[in-house]
Amino acid sequence: MSLTISQQMFAIAPVNERPLLSREQERLVVGKAAWVFAMAKSGQRVCPTICITRQAWEAVKEAKPGSPLHTSWIAALFKLVPKGEEPPKLVVRTAAQTHMAGLARVRGKVDAPKRESEAADPSKPLARAIDRAFESYLHGTPVWTIDTGRDLSKEQIVLVQAATEQKPFSILTRDLSTGELGPVKLHGQSELPQFANPVTARRFCRKMDGLAGAHMVCLVVEENGELVFLSARPVQASISANLEAAIDRVNSGDWTPRKAVSEIDPAQLPQILHPRLTGKKRVAALANGLGVSPGAASGAIVFSSEDASRYRARGKDCILVSVETGPSDIEGMQAAAGILTARAMKCRSLPHC
């Protein structure tokens, strides 16, 4: 790494200004940090955020208060404080290149250091939260390697953000089923708050979608009719939603047609070639289950693979309904026009499932 230790603690969303990072610093900005930086760079209002690498944090803890290194850390923390105001409560987040099981949960409402000497004191709340975040990287699946004598674990980062007074909430930038531009509520979420300015909320989703080129879950707060960005992560959507989103991005000028075609996985296309229900008539659902067949199907309901095979032998369509299916149900699964389970399909020994 060509960066000095002092250069490894910097603002990716400084208060009241746009970030200015070197190419080497941008390379360190991964995961959630990448979206924070991209949104701040685009001019979107973003919660003030700084990041620090593991190597820099270890050095700062060893540095004496008043030393140049310790002073650099203090300067980075002040990038979170509006001029003339008191330091806010802080939020500490991890930011890995890919999702890792075991990463520390967000630590919110952490007291800011009251004195400069407390900025990296391991006994104080902020330092404890940062230590906990870095330690959690060691418990998850490693996402670093040691090659050519370079230990990439030293480049792991932790984010420190200014806490917001309002309660954050999550929004989808696009509908996961239809691909329609959001804001859309997440599955299981009661309802989205009533936006003071719906046009601004939709404009926010358009900007995030243009930067990411993917369905995203964004954590935001609303202040004075404007959405303030905190964090984001990509989510998977159906192939039909991805197609509709790709077309919309081309129409809006975010993508070229060539780009749209290159972003669609050809292996997923057969999923949209199966029969589908198109009727708009609303009906009450009797129960909910997990569909494990693409498209739509109709037929008599059966509850065993044997019955499914009998119906198939008689030339009749059926739908196999079960708590879950496994390798022993393969004949019934092949015979049925559709499959519906309460949990999931388990057929690890069958590579084609």
Side-chain angles (χ1 to χ4, degrees):
M1 182 187 295
S2 60
L3 295 174
T4 65
I5 297 297
S6 294
Q7 291 172 327
Q8 295 177 45
M9 36 189 161
F10 50 88
I12 55 177
V15 66
N16 298 331
E17 59 183 283
R18 295 194 184 185
L20 184 61
L21 274 58
S22 69
R23 183 173 298 179
E24 280 296 307
Q25 286 173 325
E26 287 190 24
R27 185 179 58 78
L28 294 173
V29 178
V30 298
K32 301 182 186 74
W35 304 120
V36 173
F37 172 63
M39 290 291 267
K41 191 177 179 181
S42 74
Q44 171 65 41
R45 188 176 172 192
V46 175
C47 182
T49 308
I50 64 173
C51 78
I52 184 169
T53 66
R54 179 189 292 275
Q55 184 177 31
W57 178 241
E58 291 175 352
V60 166
K61 288 194 296 182
E62 296 295 325
K64 294 181 179 180
S67 66
L69 196 57
H70 198 271
T71 300
S72 295
W73 175 234
I74 297 296
L77 287 173
F78 268 101
K79 292 289 186 179
L80 305 175
V81 187
K83 189 175 181 179
E85 296 186 15
E86 290 294 316
K89 296 279 189 177
L90 301 175
V91 176
V92 176
R93 302 177 185 275
T94 54
Q97 177 73 55
T98 57
H99 173 71
M100 292 172 57
L103 285 182
R105 291 182 176 274
V106 175
R107 183 73 180 271
K109 302 296 185 180
V110 176
D111 289 331
K114 293 182 172 55
R115 306 177 187 83
E116 291 189 359
S117 60
E118 298 177 356
D121 186 339
S123 67
K124 301 301 180 181
L126 176 60
R128 289 202 307 268
I130 296 175
D131 278 337
R132 178 173 171 267
F134 275 122
E135 286 170 4
S136 72
Y137 280 102
L138 303 176
H139 303 310
T141 304
V143 293
W144 66 88
T145 58
I146 300 176
D147 57 352
T148 64
R150 181 172 160 198
D151 186 356
L152 299 185
S153 67
K154 296 295 184 182
E155 299 181 15
Q156 292 166 342
I157 59 173
V158 162
L159 305 183
V160 181
Q161 290 184 316
T164 59
E165 294 182 2
Q166 289 78 13
K167 183 179 179 180
F169 58 93
S170 296
I171 59 172
L172 279 166
T173 55
R174 286 187 181 272
D175 189 289
L176 298 182
S177 300
T178 67
E180 183 180 354
L181 189 68
V184 181
K185 73 181 184 71
L186 277 69
H187 178 68
Q189 189 177 21
S190 53
E191 288 296 334
L192 284 177
Q194 194 71 30
F195 292 108
N197 190 337
V199 174
T200 300
R202 190 169 179 84
R203 191 181 300 129
F204 171 93
C205 290
R206 174 67 71 186
K207 177 172 285 188
M208 182 77 251
D209 186 74
L211 290 171
H215 289 65
M216 304 290 290
V217 174
C218 297
L219 186 67
V220 298
V221 296
E222 187 175 26
E223 292 182 356
N224 301 320
E226 183 181 9
L227 291 186
V228 182
F229 179 82
L230 276 70
S231 179
R233 59 180 174 84
V235 288
Q236 292 185 339
S238 67
I239 179 60
S240 57
N242 286 334
L243 279 173
E244 292 298 328
I247 294 170
D248 184 52
R249 290 170 192 140
V250 171
N251 292 337
S252 64
D254 291 326
W255 281 3
T256 64
R258 179 183 292 272
K259 170 72 171 176
V261 171
S262 67
E263 290 293 326
I264 298 299
D265 182 4
Q268 291 185 314
L269 291 177
Q271 296 180 24
I272 61 173
L273 303 178
H274 293 274
R276 292 180 175 274
L277 297 174
T278 57
K280 296 183 178 180
K281 182 179 179 180
R282 292 183 177 275
V283 295
L286 295 176
N288 294 322
L290 177 67
V292 291
S293 298
S298 63
I301 292 177
V302 298
F303 300 99
S304 71
S305 292
E306 292 77 10
D307 286 343
S309 299
R310 293 190 188 100
Y311 267 80
R312 177 64 177 271
R314 297 171 189 167
K316 296 182 179 180
D317 290 332
C318 68
I319 296 175
L320 176 60
V321 178
S322 177
V323 174
E324 63 182 19
T325 54
S328 62
D329 299 309
I330 185 61
E331 290 186 5
M333 293 161 62
Q334 292 175 337
I339 307 168
L340 180 67
T341 72
R343 289 200 287 266
M345 180 169 60
K346 295 182 179 178
C347 44
R348 298 186 182 89
S349 62
L350 301 174
H352 59 279
C353 286

